[in-house]
PDB file of all heavy atoms in Angstrom:
ATOM      1  N   GLY A 163       1.875   9.153 -14.541  1.00  0.00           N
ATOM      2  CA  GLY A 163       2.252   9.019 -13.137  1.00  0.00           C
ATOM      3  C   GLY A 163       3.542   8.265 -12.954  1.00  0.00           C
ATOM      4  O   GLY A 163       3.739   7.189 -13.510  1.00  0.00           O
ATOM      5  N   ALA A 164       4.461   8.861 -12.158  1.00  0.00           N
ATOM      6  CA  ALA A 164       5.755   8.205 -11.881  1.00  0.00           C
ATOM      7  C   ALA A 164       5.902   7.941 -10.382  1.00  0.00           C
ATOM      8  O   ALA A 164       6.982   8.054  -9.826  1.00  0.00           O
ATOM      9  CB  ALA A 164       6.901   9.064 -12.396  1.00  0.00           C
ATOM     10  N   GLY A 165       4.775   7.604  -9.747  1.00  0.00           N
ATOM     11  CA  GLY A 165       4.836   7.090  -8.382  1.00  0.00           C
ATOM     12  C   GLY A 165       5.203   5.617  -8.436  1.00  0.00           C
ATOM     13  O   GLY A 165       5.683   5.114  -9.457  1.00  0.00           O
ATOM     14  N   PHE A 166       4.951   4.897  -7.333  1.00  0.00           N
ATOM     15  CA  PHE A 166       5.349   3.491  -7.283  1.00  0.00           C
ATOM     16  C   PHE A 166       4.685   2.656  -8.372  1.00  0.00           C
ATOM     17  O   PHE A 166       5.343   1.923  -9.089  1.00  0.00           O
ATOM     18  CB  PHE A 166       5.028   2.909  -5.895  1.00  0.00           C
ATOM     19  CG  PHE A 166       6.226   2.924  -5.003  1.00  0.00           C
ATOM     20  CD1 PHE A 166       6.723   4.120  -4.530  1.00  0.00           C
ATOM     21  CD2 PHE A 166       6.869   1.757  -4.662  1.00  0.00           C
ATOM     22  CE1 PHE A 166       7.846   4.159  -3.728  1.00  0.00           C
ATOM     23  CE2 PHE A 166       7.999   1.776  -3.850  1.00  0.00           C
ATOM     24  CZ  PHE A 166       8.487   2.975  -3.387  1.00  0.00           C
ATOM     25  N   THR A 167       3.374   2.790  -8.491  1.00  0.00           N
ATOM     26  CA  THR A 167       2.659   1.964  -9.483  1.00  0.00           C
ATOM     27  C   THR A 167       3.137   2.288 -10.885  1.00  0.00           C
ATOM     28  O   THR A 167       3.404   1.383 -11.691  1.00  0.00           O
ATOM     29  CB  THR A 167       1.138   2.181  -9.387  1.00  0.00           C
ATOM     30  OG1 THR A 167       0.727   1.947  -8.047  1.00  0.00           O
ATOM     31  CG2 THR A 167       0.377   1.255 -10.305  1.00  0.00           C
ATOM     32  N   GLY A 168       3.260   3.574 -11.201  1.00  0.00           N
ATOM     33  CA  GLY A 168       3.686   4.000 -12.536  1.00  0.00           C
ATOM     34  C   GLY A 168       5.056   3.465 -12.894  1.00  0.00           C
ATOM     35  O   GLY A 168       5.261   2.899 -13.977  1.00  0.00           O
ATOM     36  N   ILE A 169       6.015   3.615 -11.976  1.00  0.00           N
ATOM     37  CA  ILE A 169       7.389   3.183 -12.243  1.00  0.00           C
ATOM     38  C   ILE A 169       7.472   1.653 -12.340  1.00  0.00           C
ATOM     39  O   ILE A 169       8.119   1.100 -13.236  1.00  0.00           O
ATOM     40  CB  ILE A 169       8.356   3.720 -11.155  1.00  0.00           C
ATOM     41  CG1 ILE A 169       8.527   5.240 -11.318  1.00  0.00           C
ATOM     42  CG2 ILE A 169       9.703   3.017 -11.201  1.00  0.00           C
ATOM     43  CD1 ILE A 169       9.214   5.703 -12.595  1.00  0.00           C
ATOM     44  N   GLU A 170       6.776   0.950 -11.438  1.00  0.00           N
ATOM     45  CA  GLU A 170       6.822  -0.514 -11.484  1.00  0.00           C
ATOM     46  C   GLU A 170       6.176  -1.038 -12.766  1.00  0.00           C
ATOM     47  O   GLU A 170       6.653  -2.000 -13.371  1.00  0.00           O
ATOM     48  CB  GLU A 170       6.124  -1.104 -10.249  1.00  0.00           C
ATOM     49  CG  GLU A 170       6.923  -0.897  -8.970  1.00  0.00           C
ATOM     50  CD  GLU A 170       6.400  -1.701  -7.784  1.00  0.00           C
ATOM     51  OE1 GLU A 170       5.165  -1.832  -7.651  1.00  0.00           O
ATOM     52  OE2 GLU A 170       7.223  -2.193  -6.999  1.00  0.00           O
ATOM     53  N   PHE A 171       5.099  -0.385 -13.195  1.00  0.00           N
ATOM     54  CA  PHE A 171       4.414  -0.797 -14.421  1.00  0.00           C
ATOM     55  C   PHE A 171       5.277  -0.531 -15.655  1.00  0.00           C
ATOM     56  O   PHE A 171       5.433  -1.395 -16.532  1.00  0.00           O
ATOM     57  CB  PHE A 171       3.068  -0.072 -14.524  1.00  0.00           C
ATOM     58  CG  PHE A 171       2.269  -0.422 -15.748  1.00  0.00           C
ATOM     59  CD1 PHE A 171       2.071  -1.740 -16.132  1.00  0.00           C
ATOM     60  CD2 PHE A 171       1.686   0.580 -16.530  1.00  0.00           C
ATOM     61  CE1 PHE A 171       1.323  -2.065 -17.265  1.00  0.00           C
ATOM     62  CE2 PHE A 171       0.939   0.266 -17.651  1.00  0.00           C
ATOM     63  CZ  PHE A 171       0.761  -1.053 -18.025  1.00  0.00           C
ATOM     64  N   VAL A 172       5.882   0.657 -15.707  1.00  0.00           N
ATOM     65  CA  VAL A 172       6.768   1.010 -16.821  1.00  0.00           C
ATOM     66  C   VAL A 172       7.932   0.017 -16.908  1.00  0.00           C
ATOM     67  O   VAL A 172       8.333  -0.409 -17.996  1.00  0.00           O
ATOM     68  CB  VAL A 172       7.279   2.467 -16.654  1.00  0.00           C
ATOM     69  CG1 VAL A 172       8.519   2.731 -17.478  1.00  0.00           C
ATOM     70  CG2 VAL A 172       6.189   3.458 -17.046  1.00  0.00           C
ATOM     71  N   ALA A 173       8.465  -0.358 -15.756  1.00  0.00           N
ATOM     72  CA  ALA A 173       9.590  -1.308 -15.731  1.00  0.00           C
ATOM     73  C   ALA A 173       9.177  -2.664 -16.300  1.00  0.00           C
ATOM     74  O   ALA A 173       9.924  -3.277 -17.083  1.00  0.00           O
ATOM     75  CB  ALA A 173      10.093  -1.471 -14.297  1.00  0.00           C
ATOM     76  N   GLU A 174       7.991  -3.143 -15.915  1.00  0.00           N
ATOM     77  CA  GLU A 174       7.501  -4.419 -16.453  1.00  0.00           C
ATOM     78  C   GLU A 174       7.272  -4.323 -17.962  1.00  0.00           C
ATOM     79  O   GLU A 174       7.600  -5.248 -18.712  1.00  0.00           O
ATOM     80  CB  GLU A 174       6.204  -4.842 -15.753  1.00  0.00           C
ATOM     81  CG  GLU A 174       6.349  -5.187 -14.282  1.00  0.00           C
ATOM     82  CD  GLU A 174       7.230  -6.389 -14.004  1.00  0.00           C
ATOM     83  OE1 GLU A 174       7.269  -7.329 -14.822  1.00  0.00           O
ATOM     84  OE2 GLU A 174       7.894  -6.396 -12.948  1.00  0.00           O
ATOM     85  N   LEU A 175       6.700  -3.198 -18.407  1.00  0.00           N
ATOM     86  CA  LEU A 175       6.475  -3.003 -19.844  1.00  0.00           C
ATOM     87  C   LEU A 175       7.795  -2.988 -20.615  1.00  0.00           C
ATOM     88  O   LEU A 175       7.903  -3.560 -21.699  1.00  0.00           O
ATOM     89  CB  LEU A 175       5.726  -1.690 -20.091  1.00  0.00           C
ATOM     90  CG  LEU A 175       4.223  -1.681 -19.794  1.00  0.00           C
ATOM     91  CD1 LEU A 175       3.683  -0.262 -19.879  1.00  0.00           C
ATOM     92  CD2 LEU A 175       3.459  -2.591 -20.763  1.00  0.00           C
ATOM     93  N   ALA A 176       8.807  -2.323 -20.037  1.00  0.00           N
ATOM     94  CA  ALA A 176      10.117  -2.254 -20.699  1.00  0.00           C
ATOM     95  C   ALA A 176      10.681  -3.658 -20.908  1.00  0.00           C
ATOM     96  O   ALA A 176      11.332  -3.937 -21.923  1.00  0.00           O
ATOM     97  CB  ALA A 176      11.083  -1.407 -19.865  1.00  0.00           C
ATOM     98  N   ASN A 177      10.405  -4.562 -19.957  1.00  0.00           N
ATOM     99  CA  ASN A 177      10.857  -5.953 -20.103  1.00  0.00           C
ATOM    100  C   ASN A 177       9.984  -6.750 -21.064  1.00  0.00           C
ATOM    101  O   ASN A 177      10.450  -7.690 -21.709  1.00  0.00           O
ATOM    102  CB  ASN A 177      10.842  -6.649 -18.734  1.00  0.00           C
ATOM    103  CG  ASN A 177      11.983  -6.206 -17.844  1.00  0.00           C
ATOM    104  OD1 ASN A 177      12.842  -5.428 -18.265  1.00  0.00           O
ATOM    105  ND2 ASN A 177      12.000  -6.666 -16.615  1.00  0.00           N
ATOM    106  N   ARG A 178       8.731  -6.372 -21.165  1.00  0.00           N
ATOM    107  CA  ARG A 178       7.766  -7.126 -21.984  1.00  0.00           C
ATOM    108  C   ARG A 178       7.849  -6.743 -23.461  1.00  0.00           C
ATOM    109  O   ARG A 178       7.603  -7.576 -24.346  1.00  0.00           O
ATOM    110  CB  ARG A 178       6.362  -6.836 -21.449  1.00  0.00           C
ATOM    111  CG  ARG A 178       5.223  -7.497 -22.200  1.00  0.00           C
ATOM    112  CD  ARG A 178       4.953  -8.902 -21.709  1.00  0.00           C
ATOM    113  NE  ARG A 178       3.710  -9.414 -22.261  1.00  0.00           N
ATOM    114  CZ  ARG A 178       3.636 -10.281 -23.254  1.00  0.00           C
ATOM    115  NH1 ARG A 178       4.736 -10.755 -23.805  1.00  0.00           N
ATOM    116  NH2 ARG A 178       2.472 -10.703 -23.695  1.00  0.00           N
TER     117      ARG A 178
END
Side-chain angles (χ1 to χ4, degrees):
F166 263 70
T167 306
I169 289 294
E170 289 191 322
F171 180 48
V172 161
E174 294 296 327
L175 284 171
N177 286 356
R178 178 86 169 103

